Amino acid sequence: MGQQGDFSAPWTRGFAVAEKSIFPERKVMTSVDDQLFGQTYQQILSGVLGGESENFQLIYPYLDWWWPTAPSGQISPQALSLLNSVPQWSAVGQFDPSGATLLNAYQQTLQHVNPTIPPDQQQAVTNAHNLLIAAQNQRQNDLTARNQAWSQANANLPAGVPPPVWTEWEVQSGWAGTLAKDAEANATAQRNYAQAVGQQSPTLTSALAAATPPATPSTITSGWTTVNQGDGSLVSAPAYSMSTSSGQDWVNLLSQGGGNQVTIKIGQGQGSYDFSKSWAGGNASVDSFFWGVSAGGSWQKWDLDESDQSVSATINLTATKVMVSPGNWYNGGYLKTLAGTGEFYSPWTATGGASPIFGKGGLLPLQVVALVAGYQPSYEITMSASTYSQHVEKYEASAGIRIGPFRFGGSGGHESNTIERGDSTTSFKGKSTATYPFLMGIVTAQPGIS
């Protein structure tokens, strides 16, 4: 059975991190929406994460966390898609199928290390390395073609027609099989390269071996697991551990007092978070609307506070941080050694230059180390009586509303997420009825650096 060819494959409408940030680095005037996003970001930092030292990335819009607990010896495709992703270098991010994976970036980092080899063995190592790079290039070409085909499959869909389900589309289109063959070729080339490096670089050899997928799901080694690739067949996959393995597990803990009660208050005049001081150093517009309504099967900007600066919102929810760590296929300590003293094949460098391995713009810049989860948020939006009169009809006719990253109703997701409404003449009130949690963000770390 072939290896899983691309562990970035998301499971519904996109779950791996996009290459292009929605938080580009360019100076623009700060809008009211940006200020409100900044307030939300800062209050999650303080209310959920306990301070501003965390490398927190706000997800816009949030992601439903409904995936089930995988059978023993497996990881769910949904969990793998997110945990194995390489996040954007941005304080605000989003997810789609085109992102890089931690496994692939880590493997390539090891394969770019230039070991000290005796002259009489150097040619064999060079030949093996060249074959490995050729296998990687073929996989990357196929990934690019796959992503282009996915974009075309989603382009110009008629109104109300949902996007294809990723896992089903990838299998039916044949790309899952193509990428599985690419992964087999990469694994073979990597084993050959590790053998050529041999005992001249034992730490590198050991790391390469640990990061090489097992030949078949029946020969799973330490640090690896299996995943259902969508057609019932199992393929080997990198293992990850979580302090809570599924959203449903966390919901079960809530009945025992799990999670923290958090209140988020936003509104004009309450200040804003300076994203240029965030870990990502961003300083530009989020470029997304903060207030939104669901109408006609799509989300639309809601100009609720355009002429009323008194509009404010209070959101109450249960939240928690779920810790994540890769299996022992990943050697974080060795990465720190490489970042400090490692030599790499030209043009690669540990940091800096046109082809850095670590840090911003690097091959391996970030990894997911925690998920920031919430459950059944409630809201109250207060405003003047005249603003209420102006917007109440649109509000009552909507299938759902958005307040920044939070969604109430209108989800069309895995389970029903309607709104329990209870309004007055100067406020809109409601609560999500979803029986599953959601992910409003992630915490990142910098491999080799932090």
Side-chain angles (χ1 to χ4, degrees), residues 38 79 162 270 337 340 411 441:
Q270 295 188 26
T337 298
S411 68

Side-chain angles (χ1 to χ4, degrees), residues 110-174:
L110 299 179
Q111 294 154 7
H112 291 326
V113 175
N114 191 354
T116 301
I117 301 294
D120 61 339
Q121 299 180 27
Q122 187 63 57
Q123 190 59 53
V125 171
T126 299
N127 292 342
H129 185 257
N130 288 341
L131 292 172
L132 177 58
I133 297 303
Q136 290 176 352
N137 290 342
Q138 180 61 55
R139 176 183 180 276
Q140 186 57 53
N141 289 340
D142 287 339
L143 277 174
T144 300
R146 191 256 345 239
N147 290 341
Q148 291 174 345
W150 168 250
S151 297
Q152 292 174 1
N154 282 274
N156 302 318
L157 289 171
V161 175
V165 175
W166 171 268
T167 50
E168 296 176 359
W169 174 86
E170 194 181 34
V171 172
Q172 294 169 359
S173 64

Side-chain angles (χ1 to χ4, degrees), residues 240-304:
Y240 287 86
S241 63
M242 299 172 59
S243 55
T244 302
S245 61
S246 73
Q248 187 57 52
D249 286 346
W250 187 55
V251 171
N252 294 338
L253 291 176
L254 292 178
S255 63
Q256 304 172 25
N260 301 313
Q261 300 303 309
V262 177
T263 297
I264 295 173
K265 296 183 178 182
I266 57 90
Q268 294 190 46
Q270 295 188 26
S272 183
Y273 180 77
D274 184 356
F275 281 110
S276 67
K277 296 180 180 179
S278 74
W279 62 273
N283 55 13
S285 172
V286 177
D287 197 27
S288 297
F289 55 78
F290 190 84
W291 306 99
V293 291
S294 175
S298 63
W299 290 98
Q300 304 172 5
K301 181 177 175 60
W302 191 16
D303 295 322
L304 187 63

Side-chain angles (χ1 to χ4, degrees), residues 19 84-89 99-113 129 133 136-137 139-140 143 330 335 338 344-345 347-367 445-449:
E19 296 289 346
N84 195 39
S85 65
V86 175
Q88 300 166 346
W89 195 279
T101 67
L102 180 65
L103 171 65
N104 186 247
Y106 175 71
Q107 289 173 330
Q108 291 187 55
T109 295
L110 299 179
Q111 294 154 7
H112 291 326
V113 175
H129 185 257
I133 297 303
Q136 290 176 352
N137 290 342
R139 176 183 180 276
Q140 186 57 53
L143 277 174
Y330 179 88
L335 292 181
L338 293 176
F344 295 92
Y345 288 106
W348 295 96
T349 59
T351 57
S355 300
I357 296 291
F358 305 107
K360 184 178 181 180
L363 172 66
L364 186 56
L366 297 171
Q367 70 179 109
Q446 299 180 40
I449 298 175

Side-chain angles (χ1 to χ4, degrees), residues 47-50 250 254 257-263 316-321 373-375 440:
V48 181
L49 300 175
W250 187 55
L254 292 178
N260 301 313
Q261 300 303 309
V262 177
T263 297
N316 292 288
L317 70 156
T318 303
T320 193
K321 182 168 69 172
Y375 182 68
M440 55 186 157

Side-chain angles (χ1 to χ4, degrees), residues 29 52 76 206 236 238 241 247 272 290 364 367 403 425:
M29 296 296 292
E52 297 187 7
S76 68
S206 176
S236 57
S241 63
S272 183
F290 190 84
L364 186 56
Q367 70 179 109
I403 305 175
T425 58

